[in-house]
Amino acid sequence: MANAQLSRAEALACSGCRHACHVMLYSDTKSQLFGRTPIKHIILMQMRFDGLLGFPGGFVNQSQERLEAGLCRELQEELGVTLSISEDDHADARYATGTNSSPRLITHFYVKKLKEEQIKEVEQASASTAKDHGQEVLGMVRVPLYTTKGGGGLSSFLSHAFIGSARTQLVDSLLRLHLLAPEDLHKALKHSLKTHALGAVDLQAALALTEAKRDHS
Ligand code: AMP
Ligand code: MN
């Protein structure tokens, strides 16, 4: 990540800053795609209300609650489950880039490993009892870590649009937790850049479709 990393304590020392906390929940899995491609790990992300992919979590008012308590409150709303996230799960804090918000925003990122059954419980609750379902959260998604014959899978996933530094947080976590070989990740990202360019051509075609309609209305 380009912007400087802060420790949890350094981040909290900024009295005038706003804070947002998000978490990557993941598990190991022995399941296979089409009975032959190992899925290896389940990583949960979400389709947000703004159409961007991101991690669950949100703003925390650290003058009123501890960062982790605020994160758990956000998770209760977005996922419909009570999870315990601790200081030990804090992986990263940075000043948010791309926003000129005043006061400055610090984004905290946590990583928590669960059992596969717990991940499935989160998925079920998030689509049924979670308060934010269908509003702030349009749906939870799993990150495909494999590469299909046609080069899809992880590379296509990475070519979508992400909120803030969520894509970097994902890639950084995959490397740091050794969830994927660096070489495989590198290949997937190179392919993502190509997919991205092709996506622009596709968007142009969709745009042309609306233009034709507008001319007739
Ligand atoms: P939320 O309430 O989840 O939208 O999060 C509060 C703010 O944190 C958002 O408006 C974004 O600016 C920022 N944000 C959300 N997700 C991430 C992320 N994964 N990485 C960095 N910043 C994020
Ligand atoms: Mn949120």
Side-chain angles (χ1 to χ4, degrees):
M1 290 177 215
N3 52 335
Q5 199 172 356
L6 304 162
S7 69
R8 185 181 177 282
E10 282 167 338
L12 286 175
C14 175
S15 54
C17 286
R18 292 179 85 197
H19 298 263
C21 298
H22 294 87
V23 65
M24 182 180 107
L25 301 171
Y26 76 104
S27 77
D28 295 337
T29 182
K30 289 195 164 46
S31 59
Q32 296 185 327
L33 175 70
F34 306 134
R36 58 171 187 270
T37 305
I39 288 172
K40 291 183 185 164
H41 309 283
I42 304 174
I43 297 177
L44 289 187
M45 292 192 77
Q46 61 183 203
M47 177 54 72
R48 299 160 46 91
F49 65 95
D50 50 16
L52 300 173
L53 288 166
F55 290 100
F59 287 117
V60 175
N61 185 345
Q62 59 116 354
S63 65
Q64 290 174 6
E65 57 188 347
R66 280 171 54 80
L67 291 179
E68 293 74 21
L71 174 58
C72 291
R73 177 183 46 72
E74 283 287 338
L75 296 180
Q76 181 70 54
E77 291 169 9
E78 294 188 355
L79 306 177
V81 293
T82 307
L83 290 165
S84 70
I85 311 286
S86 77
E87 270 185 48
D88 292 343
D89 304 316
H90 189 277
D92 184 90
R94 294 170 191 266
Y95 288 108
T97 51
T99 57
N100 294 320
S101 70
S102 175
R104 290 185 83 181
L105 174 66
I106 295 180
T107 54
H108 298 260
F109 186 62
Y110 294 75
V111 174
K112 175 116 182 142
K113 187 168 185 180
L114 301 177
K115 297 219 170 355
E116 184 171 1
E117 297 70 46
Q118 291 176 297
I119 289 279
K120 287 180 179 171
E121 279 167 24
V122 171
E123 289 176 320
Q124 281 174 13
S126 65
S128 52
T129 55
K131 173 179 146 296
D132 288 347
H133 178 65
Q135 293 170 29
E136 276 189 48
V137 182
L138 303 183
M140 299 305 294
V141 293
R142 297 181 177 196
V143 180
L145 294 180
Y146 46 79
T147 298
T148 63
K149 274 190 196 139
L154 180 61
S155 78
S156 298
F157 187 87
L158 290 170
S159 72
H160 291 307
F162 291 74
I163 178 80
S165 44
R167 178 173 18 223
T168 312
Q169 287 165 337
L170 172 63
V171 169
D172 190 49
S173 303
L174 292 176
L175 292 172
R176 202 161 26 80
L177 300 166
H178 304 289
L179 300 181
L180 203 67
E183 181 58 27
D184 291 344
L185 195 48
H186 184 75
K187 272 193 210 149
L189 279 164
K190 280 189 100 168
H191 197 263
S192 289
L193 281 167
K194 277 193 212 156
T195 314
H196 210 74
L198 289 173
V201 174
D202 199 47
L203 271 176
Q204 288 287 353
L207 183 69
L209 216 61
T210 62
E211 268 161 11
K213 280 275 179 217
R214 280 206 316 174
D215 291 347
H216 288 98
S217 63

